[in-house]
Amino acid sequence: MLEWIPFLLFFAVCVVLMLGYPVAFTLAGVSLWFAGIGIVTGHFPANDLLFIPERLFGIFSKESLIAVPLFIFMGVMLERTKVAEELLENMAHACGGLPAGLGLSVIIVGALLAASTGIVGATVVTMGLMSLPTLLRQGYSPALATGTICATGTLGQIIPPSIALVLLGDILSSAYQQAQLQKGIFNAAPISVGDLFLGAVIPGLLLVVFYLIYLFAIGILRPSQAPKNQPNPNQPSKNKRQLINAIVPPILLIVLVLGSIISGAATPTEAAGIGAIAASLLALAKRQLSVQTLREVVRTTTKITCMVFTLLLGASIFSLVFIGYGGKEVIEHFFAHLPGGTFTALLIVMLVIFLLGFILDFIEITFVVVPLVGPALLLMGVDPIWLGIMIAINLQTSFLTPPFGFALFYLRGVAPESVKTSEIYRGVMPFIALQIAMMLLLALYPSLATWLPSIINGNGN
């Protein structure tokens, strides 16, 4: 009977979350209740709670997590100073002569914005407010317009640099160390956030290419759904030099951050600092930065950062209690005795993560679920980088899937009433198919995620 307590704890947390209580306090509160009951009944070692301060100090001592507020600052700065909005406007001018040109520009700008924030809700809402009215005014079908924005908004899960990958990389690094120690390997090469960034480059770019090809094909085959841009007579035309001056700097910002990581010139944390400063200088150069705007950026960054780390604290307490009840051993035993071995274990984990994506954000899933199942899967020989990319794309797909996908709810909140919810659902279906195709490609060719890290780290052939 006692072996069911960890699962009962997990179930109780899900029930309380569905009642609407804050995630961080639910994780910590329910876990402490279970620990208290276990101490009274003699089923939970009270001394385990003494590890909480040590675990929390260890979390806040991690240098890799400094990248979180810095990347958030960079993304919020690009959003609040209208740099992203100006980039979208100019990219639409540049792509104006292409089939579905405006849609193509939305995908490119959305991918850059998503990569710099990594927060699905912020990207979907921002792109919805900036581009949806224009897409509808240009004659795009509501389904295609909303589907493009929702799918683009979730790209922040997979395209580096991304908050999602920073957090996921940190958790998987710890899980990988645990798995290696259990195997008796004490000198294994560590897995870093930078490795996960490298692993995400090819799958992320491929996914963007898939989106662009799909939209371009719609523009050619069904021009009524994605017509060419109609120039706005109220806006002056721009020459190529003006377009280049407006488009290149924001793109260079992302390339600078990612390039410094790939080349080994900077760690993800150092690159995040570069990105935060460069985004501020870019906004200043474009005369979009004021004292009031800076206050708003700092305030928003602080709020999001506090939310992330409060969740991390709650998840850490949950993990401690879960392990104290023997949950880690129960999961490892369960996976080890599954028919089909590693394949079945992966399938179950991916299905559970996909379903949890309907009710939990990526941060909660990263902090709660991945530490529980990660060590067991890595102990079975699963590549940590490949696993991280699969989880990221899986969550991305979950956030898009009707009827509970987070991205759909976010866009519904800012879309005009004339756009039906059924049109939003219909619009995301092709993009869901593209993401599933990407996951299948990764399953068949794991080297899509592992090749670049092995080459950069000097382990390739």
Side-chain angles (χ1 to χ4, degrees):
M1 179 63 185
L2 290 179
E3 61 268 17
W4 289 100
I5 293 181
F7 296 105
L8 186 61
L9 169 60
F10 188 83
F11 177 75
V13 167
C14 291
V15 170
V16 176
L17 287 176
M18 290 181 186
L19 294 176
Y21 289 93
V23 177
F25 302 117
T26 296
L27 289 169
V30 173
S31 300
L32 291 175
W33 268 104
F34 267 72
I37 294 171
I39 291 171
V40 171
T41 58
H43 295 132
F44 186 87
N47 287 339
D48 279 10
L49 294 182
L50 298 178
F51 292 112
I52 291 179
E54 183 180 340
R55 287 170 67 97
L56 300 187
F57 179 78
I59 289 170
F60 285 106
S61 300
K62 290 184 178 180
E63 183 182 340
S64 60
L65 292 181
I66 299 175
V68 173
L70 293 172
F71 276 134
I72 292 173
F73 180 92
M74 182 177 76
V76 175
M77 177 65 74
L78 293 176
E79 174 197 341
R80 293 299 172 90
T81 56
K82 306 297 183 182
V83 172
E85 186 173 343
E86 183 181 338
L87 176 61
L88 176 62
E89 177 187 329
N90 287 285
M91 191 66 77
H93 277 290
C95 299
L98 298 173
L102 181 57
L104 298 178
S105 66
V106 167
I107 291 175
I108 296 171
V109 175
L112 293 173
L113 183 60
S116 60
T117 61
I119 307 296
V120 172
T123 308
V124 172
V125 169
T126 300
M127 294 303 296
L129 292 172
M130 286 196 312
S131 60
L132 183 56
T134 306
L135 286 168
L136 296 176
R137 190 167 56 248
Q138 290 283 350
Y140 277 68
S141 73
L144 183 63
T146 54
T148 300
I149 292 171
C150 284
T152 301
T154 61
L155 284 171
Q157 301 297 305
I158 186 63
I159 298 180
S162 160
I163 301 301
L165 294 178
V166 172
L167 299 175
L168 195 55
D170 184 71
I171 297 296
L172 282 174
S173 175
S174 300
Y176 183 67
Q177 290 177 3
Q178 293 178 37
Q180 295 303 297
L181 289 174
Q182 283 187 257
K183 290 181 178 180
I185 301 173
F186 300 99
N187 59 349
I191 298 298
S192 67
V193 173
D195 292 328
L196 205 62
F197 276 10
L198 293 172
V201 169
I202 294 176
L205 290 179
L206 277 177
L207 205 49
V208 174
V209 170
F210 288 170
Y211 287 2
L212 293 173
I213 291 174
Y214 168 70
L215 216 62
F216 188 77
I218 291 292
I220 293 175
L221 301 176
R222 299 176 185 172
S224 60
Q225 294 186 17
K228 290 186 178 182
N229 291 5
Q230 300 297 323
N232 188 341
N234 297 324
Q235 289 183 343
S237 59
K238 298 185 178 183
N239 57 42
K240 289 184 179 181
R241 185 183 182 86
Q242 290 174 312
L243 290 176
I244 291 173
N245 290 338
I247 292 173
V248 170
I251 295 178
L252 280 180
L253 168 61
I254 304 299
V255 173
L256 173 68
V257 172
L258 187 56
S260 62
I261 298 172
I262 292 177
S263 65
T267 65
T269 301
E270 293 166 345
I274 294 171
I277 294 174
S280 303
L281 293 176
L282 178 60
L284 190 63
K286 291 179 172 288
R287 299 180 182 178
Q288 300 286 354
L289 185 60
S290 64
V291 174
Q292 179 60 32
T293 303
L294 184 61
R295 282 201 192 103
E296 293 177 6
V297 171
V298 172
R299 189 178 295 116
T300 302
T301 301
T302 304
K303 285 181 179 178
I304 297 175
T305 303
C306 288
M307 180 267 291
V308 170
F309 280 93
T310 305
L311 277 170
L312 185 50
L313 296 181
S316 181
I317 295 173
F318 169 83
S319 176
L320 181 68
V321 176
F322 188 91
I323 293 173
Y325 272 114
K328 180 181 175 183
E329 290 76 13
V330 171
I331 291 176
E332 289 177 0
H333 182 270
F334 175 72
F335 282 170
H337 291 80
L338 279 174
T342 305
F343 174 79
T344 307
L346 275 169
L347 192 62
I348 291 175
V349 168
M350 289 299 168
L351 180 60
V352 169
I353 289 177
F354 179 81
L355 294 176
L356 287 175
F358 290 153
I359 59 173
L360 299 176
D361 200 351
F362 81 90
I363 300 174
E364 294 127 33
I365 292 174
T366 300
F367 288 158
V368 178
V369 180
V370 178
L372 303 183
V373 301
L377 289 175
L378 297 177
L379 199 60
M380 300 173 78
V382 177
D383 186 278
I385 297 174
W386 178 85
L387 178 62
I389 304 306
M390 286 291 284
I391 290 174
I393 299 179
N394 188 17
L395 284 174
Q396 185 181 350
T397 308
S398 176
F399 294 156
L400 268 187
T401 304
F404 303 113
F406 277 142
L408 311 177
F409 292 145
Y410 289 132
L411 187 62
R412 178 68 277 177
V414 297
E417 294 182 4
S418 59
V419 177
K420 299 178 181 178
T421 302
S422 59
E423 291 175 320
I424 299 177
Y425 288 177
R426 192 169 69 251
V428 297
M429 291 302 180
F431 294 98
I432 292 173
L434 292 174
Q435 290 180 184
I436 293 174
M438 188 66 246
M439 291 183 69
L440 291 174
L441 273 176
L442 268 176
L444 293 172
Y445 305 102
S447 58
L448 288 173
T450 59
W451 175 77
L452 188 58
S454 68
I455 292 295
I456 298 296
N457 294 329
N459 299 324
N461 296 325

